[in-house]
Amino acid sequence: MAILLFFFFLLFDISRAIPVLDFSKLNGHERAKTLAHIANACEDWGFFHLVNHGIAKDLLERVKKVSTDFYKLEREENFKNSKVMKLLNETCDKKLENVDWEDIITLTDDNVNEWPSQTPGFKETFKEFRYELKKLAEKILEVLDENLGLPKGYIKKAFDCEEGENNAFFGTKVSHYPPCPNPKRVIGLRSHTDAGGLILLFQDDEVGGLQVWKDGEWIDVEPLKNTIVISIGDQIEVISNGRYKSAWHRVLSTTDSNRRSVASYYNPSHKATIAPAPQLMKETNEEWNQAYPKFVFGDYMSVYYQQKFHSKEPRFQAVSAT
């Protein structure tokens, strides 16, 4: 009986874990099975770990190093004087609202001159890493096209808007969640869904804290060394007409560890028009079953900036009225 209970709980734990998918198996005889696993993960979770994704381990190790060095060299002292630190020290036992226990910088192709300059190897490493991540993102989008029955390149084309300056936007957020003296009073990052298209997260492989909401409970996204965590954003939910769902997730603060997080996002151009793919809408009684509105992504972001930590349905309703 004890052995049976052990296997029962083992199976239960596995069933509650974020899917771990091997991207390299798309190139072999297990392609059909792997495509199905990715489709299921997008439909049931909106989150999954990707292993054997093609990004060299040496590069991943360099990203870890320069990220950690950067925080220690250029951010740690500033965080001690941050707004959230001051609030935590000044408000006694009160739980903090509308703030996150997070240090963050954003890297884009347009702000390279503002990237950290004091940390040796930071710029060179992140230029290379972002290049590899963007290639991976576009491969994953083609997999989503195939699973959804869309023409190859459909999602990328929808994100690009048109040829030239309005191409899809690719950004990277380098975050740290320092040790928190009172994690019960402030969260690392409040619960939200991701506004954009596809998010590729290279999270800390030792310190946990990331959780995803599924079936009425928060489930840990366990640290797995050298994996890339894939998150479906709101815009892919729209294009898939709700077949794929963006997932609510959050980051808990901890008392004794500094959690590293590098999240890159492949988003539509701000001028791109986003709408459910016609192939994914069903015609019933001479009407199209379109669960989501058609809107310009920039308009959606204007709403998102003000409603990020609230329900996503009102965001869709707001842009449908514009």
Side-chain angles (χ1 to χ4, degrees), residues 6-27:
F6 170 79
F7 281 108
F8 171 81
F9 285 114
L10 180 63
L11 289 171
F12 177 81
D13 288 342
I14 291 174
S15 71
R16 306 306 298 159
I18 306 299
V20 180
L21 306 178
D22 188 339
F23 203 58
S24 68
K25 290 185 177 181
L26 288 172
N27 300 322

Side-chain angles (χ1 to χ4, degrees), residues 77-143:
E77 287 302 316
N78 289 337
F79 190 80
K80 294 176 182 179
N81 297 314
S82 64
K83 174 185 175 182
V84 66
M85 180 69 80
K86 291 178 180 178
L87 286 171
L88 194 66
N89 291 333
E90 294 171 357
T91 53
C92 299
D93 296 328
K94 184 179 179 181
K95 187 173 181 179
L96 301 187
E97 305 288 346
N98 304 318
V99 292
D100 303 299
W101 189 262
E102 177 188 40
D103 179 83
I104 185 170
I105 65 163
T106 301
L107 311 177
T108 72
D109 291 340
D110 296 328
N111 73 351
V112 175
N113 291 335
E114 300 172 13
W115 289 17
S117 57
Q118 299 176 38
T119 305
F122 186 97
K123 283 189 176 182
E124 297 80 2
T125 299
F126 267 93
K127 282 182 180 179
E128 183 180 353
F129 187 46
R130 280 171 43 80
Y131 174 78
E132 295 296 332
L133 279 174
K134 188 174 182 180
K135 286 197 304 181
L136 176 60
E138 291 176 348
K139 290 177 183 177
I140 295 171
L141 290 180
E142 289 184 355
V143 170

